[in-house]
Amino acid sequence: MSTLRKLGRPSAHRDALLRNLATSLVTHETITTTLPKAKELRRIADKLVTLAKKNDLAARRLAAAVLYKDDAVKKLFAEFPARYATRQGGYTRVLRAGNRLGDNATMAVIEYVDRPQTGSTSSSSSSSSSSSSDKQ
């Protein structure tokens, strides 16, 4: 994995960091990290989705060489090709999330676009509307 940003780490540590971040991103589909790490992770994450869209044995082995967990590889090849079948790139989005309190580092949220929304947002809005109607 050639990188443009050194991220203040030796090459082996940097590769391990990015592989860990890629595994977490595929598993959780959204993670919070520093902005330079998120920008560097975007390159790897987009290439993983491109491999998943090829969906052959060689692509699966190349993805397994990057991701640490077999469950992440299975999820990558099961869910992502259908989700991004019509998209020709730009599978991730990096959003700035303010600065970290301890060292004022710029934080960012990296997530896959077009990911399924969790049901927690709709249940919280319905519970708040029912509680407001109970007060009336």
Side-chain angles (χ1 to χ4, degrees), residues 127-136:
S127 64
S128 64
S129 64
S130 65
S131 63
S132 64
S133 64
D134 292 340
K135 293 178 183 178
Q136 292 176 353

PDB file of all heavy atoms in Angstrom, residues 127-136:
ATOM      1  N   SER A 127     -40.998   8.789  19.227  1.00  0.00           N
ATOM      2  CA  SER A 127     -41.194   8.803  20.668  1.00  0.00           C
ATOM      3  C   SER A 127     -41.285  10.242  21.180  1.00  0.00           C
ATOM      4  O   SER A 127     -42.018  10.525  22.117  1.00  0.00           O
ATOM      5  CB  SER A 127     -40.074   8.058  21.387  1.00  0.00           C
ATOM      6  OG  SER A 127     -38.844   8.712  21.184  1.00  0.00           O
ATOM      7  N   SER A 128     -40.543  11.169  20.562  1.00  0.00           N
ATOM      8  CA  SER A 128     -40.614  12.557  20.987  1.00  0.00           C
ATOM      9  C   SER A 128     -41.946  13.170  20.595  1.00  0.00           C
ATOM     10  O   SER A 128     -42.507  13.991  21.319  1.00  0.00           O
ATOM     11  CB  SER A 128     -39.455  13.373  20.404  1.00  0.00           C
ATOM     12  OG  SER A 128     -39.561  13.406  18.997  1.00  0.00           O
ATOM     13  N   SER A 129     -42.492  12.776  19.442  1.00  0.00           N
ATOM     14  CA  SER A 129     -43.777  13.320  19.031  1.00  0.00           C
ATOM     15  C   SER A 129     -44.910  12.762  19.896  1.00  0.00           C
ATOM     16  O   SER A 129     -45.862  13.464  20.196  1.00  0.00           O
ATOM     17  CB  SER A 129     -44.046  13.015  17.561  1.00  0.00           C
ATOM     18  OG  SER A 129     -44.147  11.624  17.364  1.00  0.00           O
ATOM     19  N   SER A 130     -44.797  11.507  20.325  1.00  0.00           N
ATOM     20  CA  SER A 130     -45.832  10.940  21.176  1.00  0.00           C
ATOM     21  C   SER A 130     -45.772  11.538  22.568  1.00  0.00           C
ATOM     22  O   SER A 130     -46.800  11.739  23.206  1.00  0.00           O
ATOM     23  CB  SER A 130     -45.687   9.417  21.246  1.00  0.00           C
ATOM     24  OG  SER A 130     -44.475   9.071  21.878  1.00  0.00           O
ATOM     25  N   SER A 131     -44.565  11.874  23.058  1.00  0.00           N
ATOM     26  CA  SER A 131     -44.469  12.474  24.375  1.00  0.00           C
ATOM     27  C   SER A 131     -45.002  13.910  24.357  1.00  0.00           C
ATOM     28  O   SER A 131     -45.559  14.383  25.329  1.00  0.00           O
ATOM     29  CB  SER A 131     -43.026  12.449  24.885  1.00  0.00           C
ATOM     30  OG  SER A 131     -42.205  13.237  24.039  1.00  0.00           O
ATOM     31  N   SER A 132     -44.849  14.623  23.235  1.00  0.00           N
ATOM     32  CA  SER A 132     -45.364  15.972  23.144  1.00  0.00           C
ATOM     33  C   SER A 132     -46.883  15.962  23.056  1.00  0.00           C
ATOM     34  O   SER A 132     -47.557  16.862  23.565  1.00  0.00           O
ATOM     35  CB  SER A 132     -44.775  16.706  21.942  1.00  0.00           C
ATOM     36  OG  SER A 132     -45.177  16.080  20.751  1.00  0.00           O
ATOM     37  N   SER A 133     -47.456  14.930  22.432  1.00  0.00           N
ATOM     38  CA  SER A 133     -48.909  14.839  22.361  1.00  0.00           C
ATOM     39  C   SER A 133     -49.513  14.439  23.705  1.00  0.00           C
ATOM     40  O   SER A 133     -50.635  14.793  24.011  1.00  0.00           O
ATOM     41  CB  SER A 133     -49.345  13.852  21.275  1.00  0.00           C
ATOM     42  OG  SER A 133     -48.897  12.550  21.626  1.00  0.00           O
ATOM     43  N   ASP A 134     -48.742  13.728  24.544  1.00  0.00           N
ATOM     44  CA  ASP A 134     -49.218  13.367  25.870  1.00  0.00           C
ATOM     45  C   ASP A 134     -49.305  14.581  26.766  1.00  0.00           C
ATOM     46  O   ASP A 134     -50.148  14.644  27.664  1.00  0.00           O
ATOM     47  CB  ASP A 134     -48.280  12.342  26.515  1.00  0.00           C
ATOM     48  CG  ASP A 134     -48.340  10.999  25.811  1.00  0.00           C
ATOM     49  OD1 ASP A 134     -49.340  10.760  25.104  1.00  0.00           O
ATOM     50  OD2 ASP A 134     -47.377  10.218  25.945  1.00  0.00           O
ATOM     51  N   LYS A 135     -48.464  15.579  26.546  1.00  0.00           N
ATOM     52  CA  LYS A 135     -48.466  16.780  27.385  1.00  0.00           C
ATOM     53  C   LYS A 135     -49.643  17.688  27.087  1.00  0.00           C
ATOM     54  O   LYS A 135     -50.052  18.477  27.898  1.00  0.00           O
ATOM     55  CB  LYS A 135     -47.156  17.558  27.179  1.00  0.00           C
ATOM     56  CG  LYS A 135     -45.953  16.806  27.686  1.00  0.00           C
ATOM     57  CD  LYS A 135     -44.707  17.593  27.415  1.00  0.00           C
ATOM     58  CE  LYS A 135     -43.475  16.809  27.853  1.00  0.00           C
ATOM     59  NZ  LYS A 135     -42.242  17.543  27.562  1.00  0.00           N
ATOM     60  N   GLN A 136     -50.228  17.592  25.904  1.00  0.00           N
ATOM     61  CA  GLN A 136     -51.315  18.490  25.521  1.00  0.00           C
ATOM     62  C   GLN A 136     -52.587  18.085  26.124  1.00  0.00           C
ATOM     63  O   GLN A 136     -53.214  17.583  26.708  1.00  0.00           O
ATOM     64  CB  GLN A 136     -51.480  18.501  24.017  1.00  0.00           C
ATOM     65  CG  GLN A 136     -50.318  19.144  23.352  1.00  0.00           C
ATOM     66  CD  GLN A 136     -50.448  19.075  21.840  1.00  0.00           C
ATOM     67  OE1 GLN A 136     -51.345  18.439  21.304  1.00  0.00           O
ATOM     68  NE2 GLN A 136     -49.528  19.715  21.138  1.00  0.00           N
TER      69      GLN A 136
END
